[in-house]
Amino acid sequence: MSKRYTITAALPYTNGPIHIGHLAGVYVPADIYSRYLRLLGNDVAFICGSDEHGVPITIKAKKEGVTPQDIVDKYHAIIKKSFEDFGISLDNYSRTSAKIHHDTASEFFLELYNKNEFVEEVSEQLYDEEANQFLADRFVVGTCPKCGYEEAYGDQCENCGTSHNATDLINPKSAITGNAPTLKETKHWFLPLNKHEAFLKEWILKGHKKDWKPNVYGQVKSWIDDGLRPRAVTRDLDWGIPVPVEGGEGKVLYVWFDAPIGYISATKEWAAREGKNWEDYWKDENTKLVHFIGKDNIVFHCIIFPSMLKAEGSYILPENVPANEFLNLEGQKLSTSKNWAVWLPEYLEDFPNQQDVLRYALTANAPETKDNDFTWKDFQARNNNELVAIFGNFINRVVVLTNKYYDGIVPNPSEYAAIDEETLAALKAYPAVISSSIERYRFREASQELMNLARLGNKYLADEEPWKTIKTDEARTKTVMFVALQIASALAVLAEPFLPFTSTKLKSILCHSNLEAQSTWEDVSTKDILLPAEHKIGKAELLFSKIEDSEIQKQLEKLEASKKANEAAKKTVEPQKEEITFDDFSKLDIRVGTILEAEKMPKTKKLLVLKVDTGIDTRTIVSGIAESFSPEDVIGKRITVLVNLSPRALRGVESQGMILMTEDEGGNLVFVNPDKDEVQNGLRIS
Ligand SMILES: [Zn+2]
């Protein structure tokens, strides 16, 4: 029975192009799901758009000396094209700078305002005196109150995923001037999440314990268990949607308030174009709403947006939010600023017409349950060993032999042998198997089942050897080729969600368009014949081609070049400091020592608490080396230590001295120590 679905994919942020991490985490799974639902005859609105507000865009515009609109226009066009290029079958790709979105978001805000769903509050917010500006979101960086990560943003910590208010940061610094901010009073509107706590507990913690992914459920539960607090939904900024109420002058809606409403406005835009009623897709209890996102957006889609929808009152809530974990590249975190990424436009230049290879490699290795690693070697292996050697090889043999033996005309089978019956029965089981994986958002598993169907075909041909029986048993050969052609035809249908370009090409080779009716997903399990005898197919064309080592080497060299460029950028030698006298120098008391004990400072990422034998005494030194060394690495280490530095407290532990360190090429910390082991602790360095 067909249903109505609203499928949303996270709005990409328009301050750069998109890379494989975005594709693997959000857009390919959302596309597989949407294509699959359409194949089953469902009514699907697959919705996305550019997220064009927020602080990073204004920072980038300032840096490049252009307007924020220039930035978003540029990247909106690039991102839109990437989605089209990779077959992301969106029904609408809108943008949050569109008028329809400004109107929709304003109305939404007003609706909540008029219902008294906001708390209006004058509070002290971080302010940069020099830049003359309030600091929110990415305008401010400081230590995360939850995990101690020292570069957390004002609205969210990228390390632990916690979302917080800017004033919660420890040691905040302005991202504009680097100054420590002051506090200044300003009025804002807050969404009292605490008020929705009971509803969220009932709806998610009770209602979705079984069907939401454990990573999503776990994150949500931990936030709710920590207790929810009011969140400001407005900002003192000039780029965004103006706050449409009295006192809102000079303020805009918080980007995370307006962005998810973008799903609604993009649906409105699409519905108007298609002559549909948008409310069917957002306000009808029978519509199933699913948000595809990355794990960094869980709080916004599972707590804040549902609270907004609930407060408004007339909207449906998401039935599932299948967030993915992160994809790494060759063992390192994807990074736009470090150019550690595979950008989609660049991929297509290097691998023209091979979108499906990337789609497949990313799906087969999708970060569904944990962070996963994309490596070029794996990409090559997925292509050469699976797409070429299994899928492509099977199809090629079927099409070539059909042309060779029967001039491309599907032969009439005679009576089936047991192996034929078994193979056709196995074929009919595949739609249900793949469906079951897709419907549980296990796209990786689903893609492997599709490949298993190609394996079934390959094995069938290898066992039945029509190239041998053609000389001895004409009837048997016809039957085998007929069965193999049914499998090929099924692959053309079932591959569509995963490999849309290949599916189209294969359908064209098999001349599906000349069939009386196009096969649906269900036909594969219910119909005995997908490709009837006497149907004429076309000539063979290669679906996939082997990727050579040299092509992979080229990609690895590109990454190596990025790595080198990052290091070079880091390694500029600092100019010599101001001259000092010998007396100045002799004030420094530097000694040889040994680290005796080491442990991590709780709740910090960088700090180790060390017990050091300085020859004079054993003392405590707190050192910021924990990202380079574990405690076990440094115990017993010979060091040089500045012993007469006045003690200072770090996180409540008094540090009595400083260990001398430098950095290697890769930016890793290195101890500066005597080059002979026998040097005694306590000896002075002069
Ligand atoms: Zn954190």
Side-chain angles (χ1 to χ4, degrees):
M1 204 180 61
S2 80
K3 272 189 79 169
R4 195 186 303 110
Y5 287 83
T6 302
I7 309 297
T8 74
L11 306 185
Y13 201 60
T14 34
N15 66 342
I18 57 170
H19 57 56
I20 53 168
H22 304 123
L23 210 55
V26 177
Y27 304 105
V28 168
D31 184 58
I32 292 173
Y33 193 64
S34 299
R35 284 177 180 272
Y36 161 76
L37 291 174
R38 290 192 199 105
L39 270 175
L40 287 179
N42 293 295
D43 177 9
V44 177
F46 180 22
I47 297 296
C48 190
S50 295
D51 177 5
E52 307 194 324
H53 297 132
V55 169
I57 286 164
T58 67
I59 293 180
K60 192 171 175 105
K62 232 175 234 176
K63 236 189 223 166
E64 296 185 10
V66 297
T67 66
Q69 192 64 46
D70 291 334
I71 298 283
V72 301
D73 285 348
K74 176 178 165 186
Y75 291 112
H76 173 73
I78 292 173
I79 294 170
K80 188 167 191 279
K81 178 155 193 317
S82 284
F83 287 152
E84 288 162 6
D85 285 345
F86 280 84
I88 307 302
S89 61
L90 293 163
D91 291 297
N92 194 26
Y93 188 71
S94 188
R95 53 196 303 193
T96 60
S97 64
K99 183 170 183 301
I100 194 168
H101 175 67
H102 275 236
D103 293 348
T104 305
S106 274
E107 282 161 21
F108 200 106
F109 182 90
L110 271 176
E111 182 71 26
L112 297 195
Y113 180 86
N114 291 332
K115 283 182 145 178
N116 274 324
E117 289 288 345
F118 293 130
V119 180
E120 206 171 304
E121 204 182 281
V122 174
S123 63
E124 291 193 311
Q125 296 294 327
L126 305 178
Y127 190 79
D128 185 328
E129 301 280 353
E130 194 186 326
N132 243 326
Q133 193 178 331
F134 280 99
L135 301 174
D137 311 333
R138 307 225 156 180
F139 274 137
V140 56
V141 178
T143 301
C144 169
K146 182 145 189 205
C147 75
Y149 179 62
E150 292 176 13
E151 279 159 54
Y153 294 117
D155 55 343
Q156 197 181 14
C157 170
E158 291 201 321
N159 187 53
C160 68
T162 308
S163 118
H164 46 239
N165 294 318
T167 44
D168 297 337
L169 289 176
I170 302 161
N171 292 324
K173 279 207 176 64
S174 163
I176 310 167
T177 60
N179 296 343
T182 55
L183 287 168
K184 191 173 165 175
E185 283 196 339
T186 179
K187 180 163 87 174
H188 281 296
W189 287 268
F190 291 73
L191 183 67
L193 293 175
N194 43 315
K195 187 181 146 184
H196 303 289
E197 219 175 273
F199 143 70
L200 291 166
K201 275 185 181 161
E202 185 69 25
W203 171 55
I204 304 178
L205 299 190
K206 270 200 184 161
H208 287 294
K209 192 167 186 166
K210 295 261 161 62
D211 61 335
W212 283 20
K213 291 170 71 168
N215 58 330
V216 177
Y217 185 88
Q219 267 203 39
V220 172
K221 182 170 190 310
S222 116
W223 279 311
I224 295 176
D225 288 349
D226 278 357
L228 300 173
R229 291 187 298 150
R231 285 291 300 263
V233 296
T234 53
R235 292 289 188 264
D236 293 287
L237 268 181
D238 54 7
W239 177 246
I241 297 170
V243 175
V245 297
E246 209 189 305
E249 300 77 20
K251 298 174 198 290
V252 298
L253 302 183
Y254 173 39
V255 63
W256 264 111
F257 182 84
D258 97 64
I261 297 173
Y263 300 137
I264 300 170
S265 46
T267 310
K268 279 188 181 175
E269 191 178 65
W270 165 77
R273 201 169 61 211
E274 301 287 323
K276 297 182 182 245
N277 176 11
W278 73 271
E279 290 189 323
D280 289 347
Y281 295 83
W282 280 95
K283 297 189 172 184
D284 181 343
E285 280 300 325
N286 296 316
T287 296
K288 184 170 164 181
L289 172 65
V290 180
H291 297 308
F292 283 85
I293 57 167
K295 69 171 165 187
D296 48 340
N297 292 344
I298 292 175
V299 66
F300 299 104
H301 286 80
C302 297
I303 291 184
I304 299 178
F305 189 44
S307 297
M308 288 161 59
L309 294 172
K310 177 80 174 139
E312 202 278 349
S314 67
Y315 286 85
I316 51 171
L317 297 168
E319 190 154 315
N320 211 321
V321 185
N324 268 338
E325 302 287 298
F326 288 149
L327 185 75
N328 294 321
L329 169 60
E330 300 285 351
Q332 284 183 44
K333 206 173 161 182
L334 280 154
S335 162
T336 303
S337 57
K338 289 181 181 156
N339 194 28
W340 192 259
V342 179
W343 304 103
L344 300 190
E346 269 184 51
Y347 171 86
L348 270 190
E349 271 174 37
D350 293 343
F351 298 95
N353 299 319
Q354 296 186 64
Q355 292 92 326
D356 278 351
V357 180
L358 187 61
R359 285 179 64 119
Y360 181 72
L362 292 176
T363 304
N365 196 22
E368 286 175 0
T369 50
K370 59 176 179 51
D371 288 359
N372 252 358
D373 201 23
F374 176 89
T375 69
W376 281 110
K377 284 272 173 230
D378 177 69
F379 167 82
Q380 182 189 27
R382 293 282 181 194
N383 180 72
N384 293 358
N385 305 342
E386 295 175 20
L387 293 175
V388 175
I390 299 169
F391 196 113
N393 182 47
F394 168 66
I395 297 296
N396 196 51
R397 287 209 279 194
V398 172
V399 177
V400 166
L401 295 182
T402 304
N403 274 285
K404 191 172 163 190
Y405 301 158
Y406 313 114
D407 288 329
I409 294 170
V410 178
N412 262 303
S414 41
E415 211 168 303
Y416 288 146
I419 176 77
D420 308 330
E421 301 275 10
E422 280 163 25
T423 303
L424 289 170
L427 166 62
K428 285 183 175 180
Y430 270 94
V433 168
I434 299 175
S435 289
S436 158
S437 296
I438 292 180
E439 282 170 14
R440 286 174 296 139
Y441 308 100
R442 296 182 181 183
F443 303 105
R444 194 168 63 194
E445 190 180 274
S447 72
Q448 294 318 292
E449 290 298 344
L450 177 75
M451 194 52 72
N452 284 339
L453 175 56
R455 281 195 179 92
L456 174 79
N458 243 353
K459 184 171 184 317
Y460 176 75
L461 277 189
D463 289 348
E464 299 313 303
E465 301 181 303
W467 44 87
K468 282 193 181 157
T469 58
I470 187 74
K471 292 163 201 155
T472 54
D473 189 343
E474 204 174 311
R476 178 66 197 148
T477 311
K478 282 184 177 170
T479 305
V480 169
M481 289 310 299
F482 180 85
V483 169
L485 280 157
Q486 305 313 310
I487 300 174
S489 197
L491 275 172
V493 175
L494 302 184
E496 206 238 86
F498 309 91
L499 309 166
F501 298 92
T502 306
S503 165
T504 302
K505 199 168 170 184
L506 181 51
K507 283 176 188 165
S508 144
I509 293 171
L510 298 177
C511 299
H512 269 204
S513 61
N514 294 342
L515 293 170
E516 263 174 46
Q518 296 306 300
S519 298
T520 65
W521 189 271
E522 281 157 338
D523 288 343
V524 175
S525 48
T526 55
K527 282 194 176 171
D528 286 329
I529 295 173
L530 297 170
L531 216 53
E534 308 301 336
H535 172 81
K536 189 167 184 353
I537 67 165
K539 295 267 178 272
E541 277 178 72
L542 282 187
L543 293 179
F544 305 101
S545 51
K546 197 176 168 215
I547 292 173
E548 301 296 336
D549 289 347
S550 59
E551 293 173 81
I552 293 306
Q553 196 50 35
K554 196 178 137 197
Q555 295 304 323
L556 292 173
E557 278 162 16
K558 255 194 197 176
L559 288 176
E560 195 55 34
S562 289
K563 210 182 249 176
K564 287 225 169 83
N566 288 332
E567 283 160 13
K570 248 185 127 175
K571 230 178 28 181
T572 44
V573 176
E574 289 170 42
Q576 182 179 307
K577 287 185 187 170
E578 202 182 320
E579 210 173 81
I580 59 165
T581 63
F582 183 75
D583 276 357
D584 290 336
F585 172 70
S586 63
K587 283 182 193 161
L588 300 177
D589 191 342
I590 306 175
R591 307 283 178 123
V592 173
T594 301
I595 297 174
L596 303 177
E597 295 170 27
E599 58 184 33
K600 281 201 88 151
M601 174 86 87
K603 292 187 179 170
T604 68
K605 282 198 88 178
K606 288 190 173 170
L607 301 181
L608 285 188
V609 181
L610 309 171
K611 284 268 184 295
V612 173
D613 175 4
T614 64
I616 307 165
D617 53 21
T618 298
R619 59 174 78 187
T620 301
I621 296 180
V622 180
S623 185
I625 58 175
E627 285 180 320
S628 301
F629 302 99
S630 67
E632 306 79 67
D633 292 339
V634 301
I635 292 170
K637 201 76 150 168
R638 302 304 308 278
I639 53 172
T640 50
V641 52
L642 177 62
V643 292
N644 64 337
L645 184 68
S646 44
R648 64 180 186 132
L650 285 164
R651 307 239 156 185
V653 179
E654 190 174 72
S655 180
Q656 303 160 306
M658 178 183 282
I659 293 168
L660 305 192
M661 311 286 300
T662 186
E663 277 184 11
D664 71 5
E665 270 195 349
N668 305 308
L669 290 173
V670 174
F671 286 98
V672 175
N673 48 18
D675 79 349
K676 232 181 159 188
D677 287 344
E678 304 83 71
V679 179
Q680 247 184 55
N681 284 348
L683 282 178
R684 186 179 283 151
I685 294 171
S686 58

